Amino acid sequence: MSTVQVMLADRSYTIRIQRQCLRELGAVLKGDHGVSRTVLMTTRRVARLHAPELRAGLEDAGLGGAQIEVPDGEAAKTLRVAQRVYDQLIELGADRGTFLVGLGGGALCDLMGFVASTFLRGIAAVQVPTTLLAQVDASVGGKTAVNHARGKNLIGTFHQPRLVWIDPAALDTLPVREFRAGMAEVVKVAAIWDAAFFAWLEESAEAVLRRQPEPLAHAIRRAVEIKAEVVGLDERELGLRALLNFGHTMGHAIEAVNGYRRIRHGEAVAMGMIFAARLSESLAVVASPVSERIANLLARIGLPAAPPDWREQRQAHLHAIAVDKKVRDGAIGMVLLEEIGRATVRPIPPEGLLAGEF
Ligand code: GLY
């Protein structure tokens, strides 16, 4: 077992990483957190795979068997679905002492956190992420969101969970495409923060992709440690935390232009990182070339290098970027690399992105 702490004064919390830990959660919630009631929020597909273990533990601890299911994936991150969850929480008689436990991937983490932060002005959230992307990114750091027709994650809050409970064995059943997409977020934190971890990924990518327990646990742990450190330094993204958006400006635009079903979030981030790394080179922000190393590692992981129809769709991508949350006074806070392991944010006017290439 290993644990990582997110240090945020009275909102500090533990991230526990351990294979086959789902059944234990109920006893820990009851024993360490004094919880007397939980509602489990999950999706139908994840419920089939992982809920029985988790529920058995919650029931053994006397924490009830209430369960709310929402549709899978990004399409469920809407105010309409959130409204349905509020209705069910009211019907179940959830109160301010109820802990909402979210079991699922990144979209479920975002939606559950949003509901938990707004229901009764905020109830406790526990994240139990079941995809690699959710384990290393979405479940940690307290960002919650639903989407708006004009853009992804435009409505949301900061609401730190009370506990994050990561079972790397849950990834054994994850489709390979989802696993690869999650690896993009692992590469991201290495690229912006830790050159030694990046080099380790270059040595160990295949072992992690084979989901060998030790390398996989190391990759998850180091990614989570970096995220916890950054969030501990800048919870509300006033500065440093923006570095975690490396690859996301173009990534979100790629998702918006190509459709959330067609391109996974991690795939879009992978392409966005290559774009941002090349832009770092063409704007001479970087001392020595970095994009080739990043592109090579992402290619070995099996992630795409460029969006389909980039030349025809260039304007559409720029238009999508213009509604991004990171736009201030007409300029985009673009995360660029100074070297592998060190990043910076530079304001770039949207037209300046035309200098970028895949
Ligand atoms: N996914 C970026 C962040 O949590 O700040």
Side-chain angles (χ1 to χ4, degrees):
M1 176 189 61
S2 68
T3 59
V4 177
Q5 298 296 322
V6 180
M7 302 305 288
L8 288 168
D10 61 344
R11 281 162 294 107
S12 298
Y13 56 97
T14 300
I15 301 160
R16 177 153 153 189
I17 306 162
Q18 190 189 343
R19 287 185 81 83
Q20 316 283 6
C21 65
L22 297 187
R23 190 161 185 137
E24 256 182 84
L25 177 65
V28 169
L29 285 179
K30 180 148 194 173
D32 296 357
H33 295 262
V35 180
S36 58
R37 179 142 191 231
T38 60
V39 173
L40 177 61
M41 183 170 157
T42 187
T43 70
R44 195 166 303 147
R45 194 184 64 80
V46 174
R48 244 191 357 258
L49 291 169
H50 305 297
E53 276 296 290
L54 190 69
R55 281 183 62 147
L58 293 172
E59 282 164 20
D60 286 351
L63 298 182
Q67 182 169 318
I68 294 175
E69 282 178 16
V70 296
D72 276 300
E74 200 60 34
K77 273 173 56 181
T78 64
L79 286 171
R80 241 162 88 153
V81 175
Q83 172 69 56
R84 287 212 298 269
V85 179
Y86 298 138
D87 293 345
Q88 290 179 73
L89 286 169
I90 290 166
E91 266 166 39
L92 288 165
D95 60 23
R96 282 198 164 153
T98 301
F99 274 52
L100 191 56
V101 178
L103 175 73
L108 190 277
C109 290
D110 288 356
L111 176 66
M112 186 283 286
F114 180 75
V115 169
S117 75
T118 46
F119 185 68
L120 303 179
R121 297 207 176 94
I123 62 172
V126 176
Q127 296 282 11
V128 188
T130 56
T131 64
L132 181 58
L133 186 129
Q135 293 188 348
V136 298
D137 189 51
S139 63
V140 176
K143 276 190 181 174
T144 84
V146 291
N147 298 328
H148 185 274
R150 293 286 302 277
K152 185 172 158 144
N153 294 345
L154 291 185
I155 303 160
T157 60
F158 287 98
H159 184 66
Q160 298 298 335
R162 297 287 179 89
L163 183 65
V164 180
W165 202 253
I166 297 178
D167 178 2
L171 306 183
D172 292 350
T173 51
L174 193 67
V176 67
R177 186 172 173 194
E178 295 292 337
F179 189 89
R180 289 180 173 154
M183 283 298 288
E185 297 282 359
V186 178
V187 171
K188 177 196 80 178
V189 287
I192 61 155
W193 202 257
D194 185 345
F197 183 42
F198 193 94
W200 180 86
L201 284 170
E202 289 177 319
E203 276 165 32
S204 315
E206 280 73 23
V208 179
L209 284 172
R210 282 196 297 274
R211 306 183 207 187
Q212 289 177 2
E214 274 187 31
L216 175 58
H218 178 73
I220 295 171
R221 188 193 160 96
R222 187 64 198 129
V224 162
E225 278 172 351
I226 294 170
K227 177 130 194 205
E229 189 180 346
V230 174
V231 169
L233 293 167
D234 176 23
E235 180 186 12
R236 299 238 155 191
E237 200 170 305
L238 301 172
L240 202 62
R241 184 167 179 169
L243 300 182
L244 294 173
N245 296 327
F246 179 51
H248 282 62
T249 300
M250 184 53 81
H252 282 169
I254 292 169
E255 285 179 277
V257 170
N258 293 281
Y260 295 100
R261 279 177 202 276
R262 191 164 166 215
I263 300 214
R264 325 287 330 140
H265 175 65
E267 293 169 350
V269 169
M271 296 184 253
M273 286 193 286
I274 293 173
F275 180 86
R278 299 231 162 103
L279 193 64
S280 309
E281 288 163 2
S282 59
L283 297 176
V285 173
V286 76
S288 59
V290 288
S291 64
E292 213 168 296
R293 264 181 90 187
I294 292 181
N296 284 344
L297 179 55
L298 293 171
R300 276 170 56 207
I301 291 167
L303 285 161
D309 312 321
W310 161 246
R311 279 178 207 290
E312 299 78 56
Q313 301 271 19
R314 188 189 281 261
Q315 285 302 334
H317 285 85
L318 289 184
H319 185 72
I321 284 171
V323 293
D324 196 279
K325 292 186 294 311
K326 295 177 281 296
V327 177
R328 290 246 171 93
D329 302 325
I332 293 147
M334 188 79 186
V335 185
L336 301 174
L337 289 184
E338 292 174 331
E339 61 184 335
I340 295 286
R342 197 153 53 93
T344 183
V345 181
R346 294 281 167 94
I348 313 256
E351 322 76 69
L353 292 181
L354 286 169
E357 269 307 338
F358 284 93

